[in-house]
Amino acid sequence: MGVNDNVIKLRPHHLLCTQGYSGKGYSEGFVDNMSTVVDRLRNGNDEIQIVFNTDNICRSCPEKLGENLCKSQEKVLRYDSKVVKYFGIEEKNYHYREIIKEIDSKMTGEMMDDICGDCGWYPISACKRNIVKNSDLESE
Ligand code: SF4
Protein backbone atom coordinates (compact mmCIF):
# COMPACT_ATOMS: atom_id res chain seq x y z
CA MET A 1 0.00 0.00 0.00
CA GLY A 2 1.74 3.18 -1.16
CA VAL A 3 1.87 6.08 1.22
CA ASN A 4 0.82 8.45 -1.57
CA ASP A 5 -2.68 7.19 -2.23
CA ASN A 6 -3.95 7.06 1.33
CA VAL A 7 -4.78 9.39 4.15
CA ILE A 8 -1.92 9.33 6.65
CA LYS A 9 -3.00 8.13 10.07
CA LEU A 10 -1.24 9.72 13.04
CA ARG A 11 -1.58 9.15 16.76
CA PRO A 12 -1.79 12.44 18.70
CA HIS A 13 1.80 12.75 19.91
CA HIS A 14 3.09 12.14 16.40
CA LEU A 15 1.80 15.63 15.57
CA LEU A 16 4.90 16.68 17.52
CA CYS A 17 7.34 13.95 16.39
CA THR A 18 6.68 14.71 12.72
CA GLN A 19 7.77 18.29 13.37
CA GLY A 20 10.86 17.46 15.42
CA TYR A 21 12.15 14.51 13.40
CA SER A 22 15.61 15.10 12.04
CA GLY A 23 16.50 11.82 10.39
CA LYS A 24 17.23 9.65 13.40
CA GLY A 25 15.13 6.70 14.54
CA TYR A 26 14.87 3.17 15.86
CA SER A 27 16.06 1.29 12.74
CA GLU A 28 16.77 1.70 9.02
CA GLY A 29 13.22 0.61 8.16
CA PHE A 30 11.78 3.03 10.66
CA VAL A 31 13.86 5.93 9.29
CA ASP A 32 12.90 5.12 5.66
CA ASN A 33 9.20 5.13 6.49
CA MET A 34 9.37 8.10 8.86
CA SER A 35 11.30 10.16 6.30
CA THR A 36 8.68 9.38 3.63
CA VAL A 37 5.79 10.33 5.90
CA VAL A 38 7.50 13.47 7.21
CA ASP A 39 8.58 14.65 3.72
CA ARG A 40 5.03 14.29 2.51
CA LEU A 41 3.56 16.13 5.49
CA ARG A 42 6.13 18.94 5.50
CA ASN A 43 6.00 19.56 1.75
CA GLY A 44 2.42 18.65 0.92
CA ASN A 45 -1.04 19.80 1.80
CA ASP A 46 -2.41 16.70 3.50
CA GLU A 47 -5.54 15.96 5.35
CA ILE A 48 -4.60 13.47 8.07
CA GLN A 49 -6.61 11.15 10.26
CA ILE A 50 -5.95 11.20 14.00
CA VAL A 51 -6.20 7.73 15.51
CA PHE A 52 -5.89 6.75 19.16
CA ASN A 53 -3.98 3.69 18.06
CA THR A 54 -0.79 2.58 16.31
CA ASP A 55 -0.42 4.57 13.07
CA ASN A 56 1.50 5.02 9.78
CA ILE A 57 4.69 5.75 11.72
CA CYS A 58 4.34 2.84 14.16
CA ARG A 59 3.86 0.40 11.32
CA SER A 60 7.59 0.28 10.48
CA CYS A 61 8.77 0.59 14.06
CA PRO A 62 10.66 -2.22 15.80
CA GLU A 63 9.04 -1.09 19.05
CA LYS A 64 5.59 -2.02 17.76
CA LEU A 65 4.47 -5.25 19.40
CA GLY A 66 1.02 -5.43 17.85
CA GLU A 67 -2.15 -3.54 17.05
CA ASN A 68 -2.32 -0.65 19.53
CA LEU A 69 0.63 -2.07 21.45
CA CYS A 70 4.04 -0.40 21.76
CA LYS A 71 7.00 -1.64 23.80
CA SER A 72 6.80 1.70 25.61
CA GLN A 73 3.03 1.59 25.93
CA GLU A 74 2.77 3.55 29.20
CA LYS A 75 4.95 6.36 27.86
CA VAL A 76 3.34 6.70 24.45
CA LEU A 77 -0.20 6.63 25.85
CA ARG A 78 0.85 9.32 28.30
CA TYR A 79 2.30 11.46 25.47
CA ASP A 80 -0.90 10.96 23.44
CA SER A 81 -3.18 11.86 26.32
CA LYS A 82 -1.21 15.01 27.16
CA VAL A 83 -1.38 16.19 23.55
CA VAL A 84 -5.12 15.44 23.54
CA LYS A 85 -5.62 17.36 26.77
CA TYR A 86 -3.51 20.40 25.94
CA PHE A 87 -4.82 20.88 22.40
CA GLY A 88 -8.27 19.27 22.42
CA ILE A 89 -7.30 16.74 19.76
CA GLU A 90 -10.06 14.36 18.71
CA GLU A 91 -10.14 11.13 16.74
CA LYS A 92 -11.06 12.72 13.41
CA ASN A 93 -9.54 14.24 10.28
CA TYR A 94 -7.52 17.43 10.37
CA HIS A 95 -5.62 19.45 7.83
CA TYR A 96 -2.01 18.76 8.93
CA ARG A 97 -0.65 22.27 8.31
CA GLU A 98 -3.56 23.89 10.12
CA ILE A 99 -3.48 21.70 13.20
CA ILE A 100 0.29 21.98 13.68
CA LYS A 101 0.04 25.75 13.24
CA GLU A 102 -2.57 25.84 15.99
CA ILE A 103 -0.54 23.57 18.27
CA ASP A 104 2.66 25.53 17.69
CA SER A 105 0.93 28.83 18.44
CA LYS A 106 -0.07 27.54 21.88
CA MET A 107 2.97 25.43 22.80
CA THR A 108 5.32 26.74 25.48
CA GLY A 109 8.66 25.30 26.53
CA GLU A 110 7.13 24.26 29.82
CA MET A 111 4.28 22.38 28.13
CA MET A 112 6.67 20.67 25.80
CA ASP A 113 8.92 19.54 28.67
CA ASP A 114 5.83 18.21 30.40
CA ILE A 115 4.72 16.20 27.36
CA CYS A 116 8.08 15.04 25.97
CA GLY A 117 10.50 15.34 28.91
CA ASP A 118 11.33 11.65 29.26
CA CYS A 119 11.40 10.75 25.54
CA GLY A 120 14.83 9.52 24.46
CA TRP A 121 14.64 11.49 21.20
CA TYR A 122 13.75 14.81 22.80
CA PRO A 123 17.36 15.91 23.43
CA ILE A 124 18.54 14.45 20.09
CA SER A 125 15.95 15.67 17.60
CA ALA A 126 14.86 19.21 16.76
CA CYS A 127 11.50 19.02 18.56
CA LYS A 128 11.64 22.02 20.84
CA ARG A 129 13.52 24.14 18.32
CA ASN A 130 10.97 23.44 15.59
CA ILE A 131 7.80 23.69 17.65
CA VAL A 132 8.13 26.26 20.42
CA LYS A 133 7.95 29.89 19.37
CA ASN A 134 11.35 31.61 19.40
CA SER A 135 10.18 34.26 21.83
CA ASP A 136 9.20 31.60 24.34
CA LEU A 137 12.49 29.75 24.00
CA GLU A 138 14.43 32.96 24.54
CA SER A 139 12.55 33.77 27.71
CA GLU A 140 13.51 30.45 29.33
S1 SF4 B 1 7.92 3.88 19.68
FE1 SF4 B 1 5.79 3.13 19.84
S2 SF4 B 1 4.54 5.01 19.51
FE2 SF4 B 1 6.60 5.48 18.76
S3 SF4 B 1 6.56 4.96 16.56
FE3 SF4 B 1 7.27 3.11 17.66
S4 SF4 B 1 5.43 1.86 18.01
FE4 SF4 B 1 4.75 3.96 17.53
Side-chain angles (χ1 to χ4, degrees), residues 11 13-14 26 30 57-58 61 63-64 70 76:
R11 61 189 310 152
H13 84 268
H14 283 163
Y26 299 98
F30 176 91
I57 292 171
C58 302
C61 182
E63 301 280 301
K64 183 179 174 184
C70 173
V76 300

Side-chain angles (χ1 to χ4, degrees), residues 4 6-8 37-48 94-100:
N4 285 318
N6 285 292
V7 173
I8 293 176
V37 171
V38 164
D39 279 354
R40 178 170 151 187
L41 291 175
R42 289 183 185 173
N43 300 313
N45 201 22
D46 276 72
E47 173 131 325
I48 53 147
Y94 289 90
H95 185 257
Y96 180 76
R97 285 187 180 283
E98 280 168 18
I99 190 62
I100 63 161

Side-chain angles (χ1 to χ4, degrees), residues 50-132:
I50 292 292
V51 292
F52 296 171
N53 206 331
T54 35
D55 66 3
N56 277 55
I57 292 171
C58 302
R59 75 176 180 193
S60 299
C61 182
E63 301 280 301
K64 183 179 174 184
L65 299 177
E67 202 48 38
N68 201 16
L69 192 59
C70 173
K71 244 186 235 172
S72 306
Q73 186 79 340
E74 181 279 321
K75 267 190 181 179
V76 300
L77 290 183
R78 174 159 43 85
Y79 301 158
D80 282 343
S81 75
K82 286 192 174 184
V83 170
V84 163
K85 207 152 54 182
Y86 275 126
F87 306 106
I89 300 298
E90 295 171 52
E91 224 177 358
K92 64 175 195 184
N93 285 16
Y94 289 90
H95 185 257
Y96 180 76
R97 285 187 180 283
E98 280 168 18
I99 190 62
I100 63 161
K101 203 167 147 201
E102 195 181 319
I103 288 173
D104 296 5
S105 73
K106 294 178 184 159
M107 184 72 90
T108 63
E110 205 175 59
M111 280 156 73
M112 192 131 191
D113 290 345
D114 178 46
I115 300 166
C116 309
D118 67 353
C119 174
W121 300 108
Y122 192 41
I124 295 166
S125 298
C127 315
K128 206 168 186 178
R129 196 165 66 236
N130 288 355
I131 295 173
V132 178

